[in-house]
Amino acid sequence: MLLLAVLASCSFRGITVKENIPYMEEGFLEEMPEKRLSLFVPKRAAEPVPVLVFVHGGSWRSGNKERYGFFGRRMARRGILTVIIDYPLSPAYQVHAMGLATAKALDWVATNSADYGGDPERIVVSGHSAGGHLAALVTLTNRYFDSLGVDNPVAGAALIDAAGLDMYHYLKEQDYAPGTSHLKTFTDDPEVWKATSPIYFLRDDMPPLLILMGGKTYDSILEGTARFLDAYREFEPEPNFKRQDNKRHVPMMAQFLYTPGRAFRWVRDFVLEID
């Protein structure tokens, strides 16, 4: 707790940014594209610092890591080694490829973060919207890490207005026509929907979760988060859940532009308290 108090009360004088580091080569497992990540490294840390890996949103079909440099810089200035990743997008790739890429990035971080002053035993994965879905998925299921032949290194997850927490229920209710955007990502197969819905992998020994949701976000996220929380309470009666009543979906991420904000402090403190 003393370390938390020290880190939370001050900013580092500076950070080092290392951009566009490949974590997955073209043709990995015969089908994956090259993907890269960027590192935001606190300077002059006296001991290894916790690591935060962020997965961007964009409905699984858009977005890139370059948009979130503000998040990496602000977290790094509070003593957190922050990693922003890219991953394969729909329609060229489907959800299992996205989960596999996220796991590959986390394995890269677990293997290499110590070289940048990070503590590989304290890796938190976070994401907004579709990125929150992928963060929850790799936290709660080991299938992608098993495919890579490595251990799951995730010690906690911070979900920011996460989409798709029960994609199986959502897609069944929507009954989309074949070829609809979400089905390009999740396929027409209900078994894939269920296998990629984090709600079905909640368990007793899962890492801690911080769940943030906007009170004015999309109806699908309101409903999906409510269903997820109901299931989560069977394992954790008092979830670490923060509802921001006046926030819509995009402002749930935009608020991290301001370090004095509540959401910034919630995520920062959650990461710093991981042990």
Side-chain angles (χ1 to χ4, degrees):
M1 293 304 293
L2 177 59
L3 174 62
L4 173 61
V6 171
L7 290 176
S9 66
C10 66
S11 299
F12 280 78
R13 293 180 182 177
I15 63 173
T16 299
V17 179
K18 297 185 179 295
E19 298 183 294
N20 294 317
I21 300 172
Y23 72 82
M24 185 169 66
E25 68 273 15
E26 182 79 28
F28 181 71
L29 296 182
E30 300 183 353
E31 61 180 22
M32 301 292 280
E34 181 186 73
K35 284 297 164 187
R36 297 171 178 252
L37 53 78
S38 294
L39 295 170
F40 300 82
V41 184
K43 289 184 177 179
R44 292 183 290 277
E47 57 185 69
V49 299
V51 183
L52 178 61
V53 179
F54 181 79
V55 189
H56 70 76
S59 297
W60 300 276
R61 64 179 182 270
S62 65
N64 58 67
K65 61 182 171 53
E66 283 72 26
R67 297 181 184 179
Y68 298 92
F70 69 91
F71 185 79
R73 287 178 173 85
R74 281 163 172 74
M75 287 293 172
R77 290 192 176 106
R78 295 301 188 272
I80 298 169
L81 173 60
T82 307
V83 185
I84 315 290
I85 74 165
D86 272 336
Y87 57 92
L89 299 175
S90 177
Y93 294 89
Q94 295 175 328
V95 62
H96 279 318
M98 300 174 194
L100 186 63
T102 305
K104 185 72 170 71
L106 283 158
D107 180 55
W108 186 97
V109 171
T111 302
N112 295 281
S113 58
D115 295 339
Y116 300 93
D119 183 347
E121 299 299 318
R122 292 188 291 161
I123 296 174
V124 174
V125 61
S126 181
H128 172 245
S129 193
H133 162 261
L134 293 171
L137 186 61
V138 297
T139 298
L140 296 174
T141 177
N142 294 328
R143 66 174 296 160
Y144 303 108
F145 296 101
D146 290 345
S147 296
L148 299 173
V150 299
D151 292 332
N152 187 336
V154 175
L159 312 180
I160 305 168
D161 220 41
L165 295 176
D166 189 354
M167 209 63 183
Y168 176 72
H169 179 268
Y170 173 78
L171 291 174
K172 282 180 62 180
E173 291 292 309
Q174 294 298 313
D175 193 23
Y176 287 126
T180 305
S181 175
H182 283 329
L183 297 186
K184 290 178 181 177
T185 302
F186 287 87
T187 80
D188 297 329
D189 185 353
E191 291 302 314
V192 174
W193 308 347
K194 196 164 192 177
T196 54
S197 292
I199 192 172
Y200 300 105
F201 300 97
L202 294 165
R203 61 185 191 276
D204 286 324
D205 61 343
M206 61 189 150
L209 305 177
L210 168 64
I211 304 167
L212 278 59
M213 187 191 74
K216 295 183 178 179
T217 189
Y218 300 128
D219 288 343
S220 59
I221 292 178
L222 291 170
E223 181 183 353
T225 302
R227 291 177 58 81
F228 187 84
L229 286 169
D230 283 345
Y232 186 46
R233 287 189 180 96
E234 296 182 15
F235 304 93
E236 177 51 67
E238 297 183 2
N240 190 357
F241 172 61
K242 312 290 187 183
R243 177 185 171 115
Q244 295 180 269
D245 287 333
N246 294 320
K247 284 283 190 292
R248 298 184 186 277
H249 184 61
V250 172
M252 283 296 294
M253 192 67 219
Q255 67 184 317
F256 287 91
L257 283 163
Y258 309 102
T259 52
R262 292 184 301 163
F264 182 91
R265 295 195 305 271
W266 289 332
V267 174
R268 176 203 65 191
D269 293 350
F270 177 77
V271 176
L272 292 175
E273 289 169 356
I274 289 292
D275 55 22

